[in-house]
Amino acid sequence: MAEGAAAKEAPAPPEAAGAEDDPRLGPDAASADDLAVGAAGRTKDRRRVVLPGAVGTPTDGEAGLLEAARATPRRSSIIKDPANQKCGGRKKTVSFSSMPSEKKISSASDCISFMQAGCELKKVRPNSRIYNRFFTLDTDLQALRWEPSKKDLEKAKLDIAAIKEIRLGKNTETFRNNGLADQICEDCAFSILHGENYESLDLVANSADVANIWVSGLRYLVSRSKQPLDFMEDNQNTPRFMWLKTVFEAADVDGNGIMLEDTSVELIKQLNPTLKESKIRLKFKEIQKSKEKLTTRVTEEEFCEAFCELCTRPEVYFLLVQISKNKEYLDANDLMLFLEAEQGVTNITEDMCLDIIRRYEFSEEGRQKGFLAIDGFTQYLLSPECDIFDPEQKKVAQDMTQPLSHYYINASHNTYLIEDQFRGPADINGYVRALKMGCRSIELDVSDGPDNEPILCNRNNMTTHLSFRSVIEVINKFAFVASEYPLILCLGNHCSLPQQRVMVQHIKKILAGKLYTEAPLPSESYLPSPEKLKRKIIVKGKKLPSDSDVLEGEVTDEDEEAEMSRRMSVDHNGEQKQIWLCRELSDLVSICKSVQCRDFELSMKSQNYWEMCSFSETEASRIVNEYPEDFVNYNKKFLSRIYPSAMRIDSSNLNPQDFWNCGCQIVAMNFQTPGPMMDLHTGWFLQNGGCGYVLRPSIMRDEVSYFSANTKGIVPGVSPLALHIKIISGQNFPKPKGACAKGDVIDPYVCVEIHGIPADCSEQRTKTVQQNSDNPIFDETFEFQINLPELAMIRFVVLDDDYIGDEFIGQYTIPFECLQPGYRHVPLRSFVSDVMEHVTLFVHIAITNRSGGGKAPKRSLSVRMGKKVREYTMLRNIGLKTIDDIFKIAVHPLREAIDMRENMQNAIVSVKELCGLPPIASLKQCLLTLSSRLITSDNTPSVSLVMKDNFPYLEPLGVIPDVQKKMLAAYDLMIQENRVLIEMADAVHEKIVQCQKTGMEFHEELNNLGAKEGLKGRKLNKATESFAWNITVLKGQGDLLRSAKNEAIENMKQIQLACLSCGLSKAPSTSAEPKGKRSLEAIEEKKEICEERGKP
């Protein structure tokens, strides 16, 4: 009877869990690390590593817990943490695949063998005491035992038959209420629930790998407790071994049962191309040496053994066992649940799962019978189908009909350079590269050339130049290869009038119909959209006054670097250099006329929408720091271009995020200079199909909205999200370039960087894994709060831990909005951003709500913010009574909206906690776990699904135990809170929207009303800012409530489907199925009505 394990989870009585054990808290107690191998100094020599075991002297109490928590993820900088430096006597951490000589976990029998050998684990008691105990599994597989203990040896044990459930992570009351639980690594903790009252034995391993072995082995034993445990003898008859035998026999042309080592090596390399030949040969030598063989010929058994040890990734094996309910393969139902619950795939069918099995399973038997073994599952996880990047974002997925000023635009600086700007030569490949990378704003600095032909050159290096004509021809050829959206030519004109006219001739003749020269309409207020400007080339430059008929005239110079130099010079008098411009070239400029920006207030009043300003990095940085809100408001209507400081003679790059945060659309980058800043730029523009245009967040586009890039906390009207990233393992890390003195081995670690608004910027790093490049296991989980998801990016960086300086191995940068949830492989890129074949990070991604709403259903999981006072987004006082009275009406509806969302989220999390699941678990996982508890002793459900007003309630089928009553009470509360939100959201949303509309009626008159009340200058600006804040809050909270209602409707649908699939419906009857279908249809219809109306 697997009822609500967490309902009680009481500490085990003395006869069950060793309550009599006394902690040894003496000051002289020595600490020990079960998995540490002592090493004096840092060595790079290969060593033989055995499976983790129990070594050293146990330590109890807080010191023991702190030691157990050493693997806890810690915040650190790219600058190395001194505590992590290598020094004499530092212990070496062993991972499962450190060296070819290791014995890997590749089957259930390996887990059982390890458990029988035993290891040290730490027992966590409800009183916060910690005990180091040596745990073993009996040879007859019937009980767990631990020592030392004051009990009789026959009582210091736990029968396997008494185990109800095994939980990975800190998911019991003992862990949740332990004062030092925060210092225990989530991935190292696990609990064994046993007895009719679901008492818990809470343990901490010294690594996540050891915890996984115990959890996998115990689950395997419990699931087979009623079957003969003969799997250890049948290990050679598994589907995997049968397939490998078939492969071996096909290659054994002589049929002698043996083959040359060279043939065996080549065969394994064909099956797994990522393996190094030297590693395969070393493995064969180890196997043969262990058998004291003199010959190098390989038998079938040796071939299978070598393949399994070399090609089994332990972390993938543990995952497979977990999701297959302790089998060593996945069937279609297992795969379907994995895709739905973990990977966030919607509308998955059994046929789709069978198709995946047929495409990725290696064995013919598996393809025919419909199961996916470890090798096929590994292959599937490495396939593009499990890539971390959302496939929807690999095509244009955003609204492209907004004004041009509402998009970030992929932009290049000094496009003609492929080296530094101080002495690098001009090269036509600079344009080819930029355009192929989706760049939509390129620069052409044109000067007078010989034979009356304009040229492009680096004026610091005149030895090489490009003809203007050849550059225009290349642009014409490659302009729309990577993107069909408009291309902006930023024209730096340094030519005489005659050569300007030659430029015009080339542009008109070569670009012809692609050139956009339509005059802007004064009746419009915003620039045309990228959709309207498809396959058009726009010239940005100076323009003569349109009300003059002169054929030529003077304009200010566009030479940015020269202007910066003049400003920095001692004798600069503030005057701008003037150049002559011909009318023909002026007429090519239409909607991107270059002007100088002197003051935001003046520009907002007098600047035309087709005019744009360029800011130097220095000037823009000052504005970002001093006037971030004004910069955002300015960029709602006008284009801003930011170019690097002239002091960057090495062509280094500025940080584009600083300017994107203020809405600057065109941040010009030196494409020829790789590094972290270019990684951010390249990663950012991968989204939206790599078309070079990314829609800015609505809070930075709406005419009346408030946003400051320097916000320290929650953005008004935006729901913060929690990003959970687990770095599991790495694959095939190359040796850093230039690291030839280090030998063939590396000590990798992973940094996870969050880039976005300052409140979101953060960084965490994993531990260092010693001497492992093939498959280092990290198993560390990090959590980040993301306040503005639409501007956030995640950068994974792999470095080699070294004395002198940590060396770069690989990186991958991805926009937050492009993340796919679940188990994913991250394809690492080199320093110059090239994809490295077979070099990946294996991670788990989960995105959960902090306070409700804001994400698509597959990401809108729930997590409680913690036991603290509920925070409400407050409206600001404007100082104008008429308007303030209107906003006061919205205070109560806003509180109602937040309460309904928070109550729903908290109720869901409570059910997850009772099920022993983490907050990132899906509702389907929750219901599957719940249903396993709500059964009677004869394996029949103790509850039944009953639809009341189209809501899925569970009713008991008789008297049920207290633990089940507690779970049902939590379930009923969850349904009730979802129901309240669904039924009440319409009315509350209407009140919020009405206040927003009424407030907006005063928008145009705000300045006049302020003047009448005596507000002027700074006070009037503050009133305007507060008005925009309130409108932003009302709109945002209305949107969040709408999203929360859609989420609640989806919750009810998923819960009903899960209940039906778990067999919690009443005994079959002729009307049961149609009724269930009608209920699902009603829920679906309700959701569709909400979406059509655009409101809850």
Side-chain angles (χ1 to χ4, degrees):
M1 186 170 60
E3 62 260 16
K8 182 172 182 180
E9 296 175 31
E15 65 272 19
E20 87 298 347
D21 291 336
D22 293 323
R24 292 164 298 168
L25 300 177
D28 298 326
S31 64
D33 188 335
D34 293 347
L35 299 183
V37 178
R42 182 170 189 256
T43 60
K44 286 289 184 177
D45 57 307
R46 295 184 179 272
R47 63 195 186 283
R48 181 168 183 83
V49 181
V50 297
L51 277 172
V55 186
T57 307
T59 302
D60 297 313
E62 293 188 11
L65 178 55
L66 290 171
E67 180 196 351
R70 283 176 180 170
T72 301
R74 58 192 179 280
R75 185 181 302 275
S76 68
S77 168
I78 288 290
I79 301 172
K80 289 207 308 186
D81 180 359
N84 200 41
Q85 299 286 336
K86 302 177 184 66
C87 58
R90 176 184 171 189
K91 293 183 177 181
K92 294 281 189 176
T93 302
V94 178
S95 75
F96 279 103
S97 52
S98 297
M99 303 298 295
S101 59
E102 288 179 41
K103 170 66 178 175
K104 281 189 179 181
I105 297 295
S106 60
S107 66
S109 61
D110 292 336
C111 295
I112 302 302
S113 298
F114 173 80
M115 293 161 63
Q116 288 176 325
C119 77
E120 191 176 81
L121 301 172
K122 292 176 174 60
K123 285 176 62 178
V124 181
R125 304 291 291 148
N127 59 6
S128 296
R129 295 289 182 88
I130 309 298
Y131 308 84
N132 276 29
R133 297 293 178 260
F134 192 87
F135 280 77
T136 57
L137 174 66
D138 279 355
T139 54
D140 61 2
L141 312 180
Q142 297 302 309
L144 289 181
R145 298 183 185 273
W146 57 90
E147 58 182 17
S149 173
K150 291 183 178 180
K151 292 180 181 180
D152 184 286
L153 289 179
E154 285 303 310
K155 292 184 178 179
K157 70 173 185 176
L158 176 61
D159 290 335
I160 297 297
I163 297 176
K164 300 292 186 181
E165 181 185 347
I166 301 96
R167 295 180 182 176
L168 185 60
K170 299 180 292 186
N171 292 311
T172 63
E173 288 298 325
T174 299
F175 277 124
R176 284 194 285 267
N177 297 330
N178 191 292
L180 297 175
D182 289 342
Q183 299 172 50
I184 297 176
C185 176
E186 178 79 22
D187 301 311
C188 295
F190 66 100
S191 301
I192 304 172
L193 276 70
H194 56 92
E196 293 303 317
N197 291 324
Y198 282 74
E199 297 150 356
S200 66
L201 173 60
D202 301 286
L203 304 170
V204 180
N206 285 77
S207 76
D209 300 311
V210 172
N212 276 322
I213 291 175
W214 280 96
V215 170
S216 299
L218 287 171
R219 284 176 175 171
Y220 195 94
L221 289 173
V222 171
S223 67
R224 284 157 175 75
S225 59
K226 297 180 180 179
Q227 303 172 14
L229 290 171
D230 56 356
F231 56 87
M232 297 182 71
E233 289 74 16
D234 291 341
N235 199 40
Q236 300 298 318
N237 296 322
T238 64
R240 187 188 199 189
F241 273 88
M242 297 301 292
W243 163 66
L244 286 173
K245 289 177 182 178
T246 303
V247 172
F248 184 90
E249 290 167 1
D252 180 18
V253 291
D254 297 330
N256 297 326
I258 58 173
M259 65 172 64
L260 294 173
E261 182 179 297
D262 290 347
T263 307
S264 299
V265 170
E266 185 60 32
L267 188 54
I268 290 180
K269 276 191 66 65
Q270 289 177 12
L271 297 174
N272 189 343
T274 65
L275 286 175
K276 298 174 184 175
E277 181 178 329
S278 58
K279 187 173 182 179
I280 303 174
R281 292 189 183 279
L282 181 58
K283 176 56 64 178
F284 279 128
K285 284 181 172 58
E286 289 175 1
I287 293 172
Q288 291 162 355
K289 183 178 179 181
S290 68
K291 297 181 178 181
E292 299 180 352
K293 284 180 58 176
L294 299 178
T295 177
T296 59
R297 293 182 178 271
V298 177
T299 66
E300 181 183 275
E301 179 184 353
E302 292 165 350
F303 172 80
C304 294
E305 182 180 351
F307 180 88
C308 290
E309 290 200 20
L310 290 169
C311 299
T312 302
R313 287 171 47 187
E315 73 279 19
V316 176
Y317 172 76
F318 292 136
L319 175 61
L320 181 141
V321 171
Q322 175 187 337
I323 62 181
S324 68
K325 303 179 185 67
N326 310 305
K327 303 189 297 291
E328 295 196 348
Y329 62 87
L330 300 176
D331 58 30
N333 289 330
D334 296 328
L335 186 56
M336 188 184 307
L337 178 60
F338 172 69
L339 294 175
E340 288 178 342
E342 286 289 358
Q343 305 297 86
V345 180
T346 57
N347 302 318
I348 193 74
T349 65
E350 184 176 356
D351 287 340
M352 293 167 65
C353 294
L354 289 172
D355 179 63
I356 291 173
I357 292 172
R358 282 191 290 269
R359 287 187 286 119
Y360 291 101
E361 172 56 28
F362 282 80
S363 69
E364 182 64 30
E365 180 187 6
R367 290 193 293 269
Q368 290 180 356
K369 294 183 178 180
F371 63 76
L372 195 62
I374 179 66
D375 301 295
F377 185 52
T378 304
Q379 190 78 358
Y380 171 66
L381 289 175
L382 283 165
S383 73
E385 294 182 53
C386 289
D387 190 78
I388 193 173
F389 195 91
D390 188 347
E392 289 298 314
Q393 286 288 343
K394 293 184 178 180
K395 57 189 177 184
V396 176
Q398 298 174 355
D399 178 10
M400 302 303 289
T401 63
Q402 300 277 332
L404 209 60
S405 59
H406 287 183
Y407 297 84
Y408 297 112
I409 303 174
N410 191 342
S412 165
H413 178 247
N414 287 344
T415 314
Y416 53 88
L417 294 180
I418 59 171
E419 296 178 22
D420 68 79
Q421 66 188 45
F422 185 66
R423 58 175 70 91
D427 194 308
I428 198 71
N429 288 317
Y431 289 97
V432 176
R433 175 188 57 198
L435 292 172
K436 284 186 174 181
M437 290 177 66
C439 186
R440 296 291 85 194
S441 174
I442 58 178
E443 295 183 8
L444 296 88
D445 287 330
V446 193
S447 304
D448 281 352
D451 303 323
N452 200 36
E453 280 290 335
I455 61 171
L456 282 81
C457 66
N458 183 352
R459 276 167 287 158
N460 296 313
N461 180 4
M462 302 290 288
T463 56
T464 59
H465 61 262
L466 306 172
S467 72
F468 178 75
R469 178 188 181 117
S470 65
V471 171
I472 296 298
E473 287 174 342
V474 165
I475 292 172
N476 182 58
K477 180 179 179 181
F478 291 97
F480 303 110
V481 167
S483 171
E484 59 182 354
Y485 290 100
L487 174 66
I488 301 173
L489 305 184
C490 298
L491 204 58
N493 172 29
H494 315 291
C495 290
S496 60
L497 292 173
Q499 294 211 16
Q500 287 181 31
R501 294 187 173 93
V502 175
M503 288 169 56
V504 174
Q505 291 174 8
H506 291 327
I507 291 174
K508 285 186 174 181
K509 181 179 179 181
I510 297 171
L511 301 182
K514 296 177 183 176
L515 201 60
Y516 184 84
T517 57
E518 293 182 21
L521 299 175
S523 59
E524 299 288 338
S525 300
Y526 288 90
L527 290 166
S529 69
E531 186 67 30
K532 184 177 180 181
L533 297 170
K534 263 185 178 180
R535 303 193 70 82
K536 290 295 181 182
I537 296 177
I538 303 165
V539 176
K540 169 202 167 287
K542 290 293 182 177
K543 193 169 178 66
L544 294 173
S546 57
D547 56 357
S548 172
D549 294 331
V550 297
L551 298 179
E552 53 198 42
E554 282 190 315
V555 294
T556 54
D557 191 5
E558 275 289 285
D559 190 338
E560 296 156 353
E561 285 77 10
E563 177 63 23
M564 282 295 296
S565 299
R566 286 195 298 273
R567 290 188 182 188
M568 295 176 66
S569 65
V570 178
D571 57 350
H572 174 53
N573 57 12
E575 295 181 1
Q576 292 181 320
K577 181 182 176 182
Q578 300 288 310
I579 62 169
W580 282 89
L581 179 67
C582 71
R583 171 60 65 179
E584 295 91 333
L585 187 56
S586 172
D587 289 344
L588 293 182
V589 178
S590 58
I591 57 172
C592 285
K593 176 186 175 182
S594 294
V595 296
Q596 292 288 330
C597 180
R598 292 180 172 83
D599 178 77
F600 280 141
E601 186 176 355
L602 182 63
S603 295
M604 294 294 286
K605 292 178 181 178
S606 60
Q607 184 173 329
N608 296 309
Y609 71 85
W610 61 83
E611 296 173 337
M612 64 176 290
C613 299
S614 292
F615 301 86
S616 72
E617 176 187 351
T618 306
E619 184 181 9
S621 296
R622 179 185 62 81
I623 297 172
V624 165
N625 290 324
E626 296 179 7
Y627 311 104
E629 300 92 344
D630 294 337
F631 215 172
V632 170
N633 288 330
Y634 175 83
N635 288 322
K636 290 177 183 178
K637 186 174 182 180
F638 308 109
L639 288 175
S640 291
R641 176 175 165 272
I642 315 297
Y643 57 89
S645 167
M647 303 303 292
R648 294 183 182 273
I649 59 175
D650 59 349
S651 290
S652 59
N653 275 307
L654 48 76
N655 186 347
Q657 192 78 54
D658 294 340
F659 307 104
W660 291 336
N661 290 344
C662 283
C664 299
Q665 300 89 349
I666 304 175
V667 182
M669 303 292 288
N670 291 307
F671 275 45
Q672 73 272 26
T673 307
M677 299 303 102
M678 196 62 203
D679 293 341
L680 293 180
H681 180 273
T682 303
W684 181 250
F685 286 103
L686 289 175
Q687 61 185 309
N688 203 27
C691 72
Y693 285 83
V694 174
L695 189 63
R696 299 209 319 256
S698 60
I699 199 171
M700 303 173 76
R701 305 192 316 262
D702 294 340
E703 183 180 0
V704 181
S705 62
Y706 175 84
F707 174 72
S708 172
N710 293 337
T711 181
K712 300 300 181 183
I714 294 175
V715 178
V718 178
S719 176
L721 300 175
L723 172 63
H724 309 260
I725 299 179
K726 182 176 183 179
I727 306 296
I728 302 173
S729 64
Q731 291 75 46
N732 309 305
F733 290 164
K735 186 171 63 174
K737 294 196 174 182
C740 54
K742 293 182 60 177
D744 294 329
V745 289
I746 60 174
D747 299 336
Y749 67 93
V750 182
C751 279
V752 182
E753 304 170 5
I754 306 297
H755 298 264
I757 61 174
D760 290 344
C761 291
S762 181
E763 179 183 325
Q764 301 254 27
R765 61 154 287 178
T766 68
K767 64 178 180 291
T768 297
V769 175
Q770 300 293 322
Q771 302 189 30
N772 191 336
S773 61
D774 297 324
N775 191 36
I777 305 292
F778 300 102
D779 264 328
E780 293 194 52
T781 302
F782 308 118
E783 180 179 339
F784 305 93
Q785 177 163 319
I786 310 296
N787 294 287
L788 188 55
E790 291 173 281
L791 274 186
M793 276 192 293
I794 297 87
R795 183 169 182 258
F796 300 91
V797 190
V798 182
L799 299 168
D800 182 16
D801 202 343
D802 191 39
Y803 283 119
I804 302 173
D806 297 347
E807 296 177 296
F808 178 88
I809 294 174
Q811 69 83 31
Y812 184 77
T813 307
I814 180 172
F816 179 90
E817 294 292 309
C818 297
L819 286 172
Q820 285 212 95
Y823 290 91
R824 305 289 173 181
H825 279 90
V826 179
L828 294 180
R829 294 175 177 248
S830 67
F831 185 72
V832 295
S833 225
D834 293 334
V835 176
M836 298 187 286
E837 190 175 16
H838 304 309
V839 181
T840 56
L841 271 179
F842 187 41
V843 302
H844 182 268
I845 303 290
I847 302 169
T848 61
N849 287 330
R850 281 292 188 178
S851 54
K855 297 298 289 181
K858 70 177 182 179
R859 296 173 180 166
S860 58
L861 310 176
S862 305
V863 61
R864 187 155 49 193
M865 293 188 70
K867 296 179 180 179
K868 62 180 182 179
V869 178
R870 185 166 294 174
E871 297 179 357
Y872 297 94
T873 306
M874 304 300 293
L875 296 176
R876 294 180 178 178
N877 186 57
I878 296 173
L880 300 173
K881 186 177 184 306
T882 306
I883 303 177
D884 283 334
D885 289 343
I886 293 170
F887 287 131
K888 285 179 182 177
I889 300 173
V891 172
H892 182 66
L894 284 176
R895 292 180 69 92
E896 282 188 295
I898 294 172
D899 284 340
M900 286 191 295
R901 295 201 328 267
E902 290 282 351
N903 290 343
M904 179 188 76
Q905 305 298 337
N906 291 343
I908 292 174
V909 173
S910 293
V911 174
K912 291 179 181 180
E913 287 182 352
L914 285 175
C915 290
L917 296 173
I920 62 174
S922 70
L923 275 176
K924 183 156 188 176
Q925 289 172 309
C926 193
L927 264 294
L928 288 171
T929 304
L930 186 67
S931 65
S932 68
R933 317 271 174 76
L934 299 174
I935 57 174
T936 61
S937 56
D938 57 354
N939 271 345
T940 59
S942 60
V943 299
S944 175
L945 173 67
V946 177
M947 298 302 297
K948 297 179 182 178
D949 302 325
N950 294 323
F951 288 93
Y953 288 90
L954 292 177
E955 289 190 350
L957 298 175
V959 180
I960 60 175
D962 289 342
V963 289
Q964 292 189 5
K965 288 179 181 178
K966 186 174 181 179
M967 298 203 76
L968 277 185
Y971 175 88
D972 287 343
L973 179 61
M974 176 180 69
I975 299 299
Q976 188 61 31
E977 294 297 350
N978 277 269
R979 180 172 185 170
V980 167
L981 193 149
I982 292 170
E983 294 178 345
M984 298 290 293
D986 284 349
V988 176
H989 182 266
E990 185 61 34
K991 293 176 184 177
I992 294 174
V993 170
Q994 189 57 47
C995 288
Q996 179 191 349
K997 289 180 178 178
T998 306
M1000 282 299 295
E1001 292 174 0
F1002 290 90
H1003 175 237
E1004 298 295 334
E1005 297 297 320
L1006 193 59
N1007 287 338
N1008 293 335
L1009 289 172
K1012 289 180 181 180
E1013 295 290 334
L1015 299 180
K1016 57 183 179 180
R1018 182 174 295 179
K1019 288 185 177 180
L1020 182 59
N1021 290 338
K1022 187 66 177 176
T1024 304
E1025 179 184 297
S1026 297
F1027 179 86
W1029 169 279
N1030 290 350
I1031 294 296
T1032 303
V1033 169
L1034 291 173
K1035 181 182 182 300
Q1037 291 298 325
D1039 291 344
L1040 291 177
L1041 183 58
R1042 181 176 58 198
S1043 298
K1045 181 181 177 181
N1046 286 335
E1047 179 183 349
I1049 294 172
E1050 183 66 22
N1051 288 344
M1052 297 301 96
K1053 179 183 174 184
Q1054 293 302 318
I1055 288 172
Q1056 185 184 356
L1057 284 171
C1059 287
L1060 292 172
S1061 65
C1062 294
L1064 294 181
S1065 57
K1066 285 186 177 179
S1069 66
T1070 54
S1071 60
E1073 186 176 351
K1075 183 177 180 181
K1077 288 184 177 180
R1078 285 198 301 272
S1079 300
L1080 284 174
E1081 290 168 0
I1083 293 175
E1084 189 64 34
E1085 181 180 354
K1086 190 179 296 185
K1087 183 177 180 182
E1088 290 174 358
I1089 291 173
C1090 291
E1091 292 173 348
E1092 288 173 4
R1093 291 178 177 175
K1095 67 175 187 178

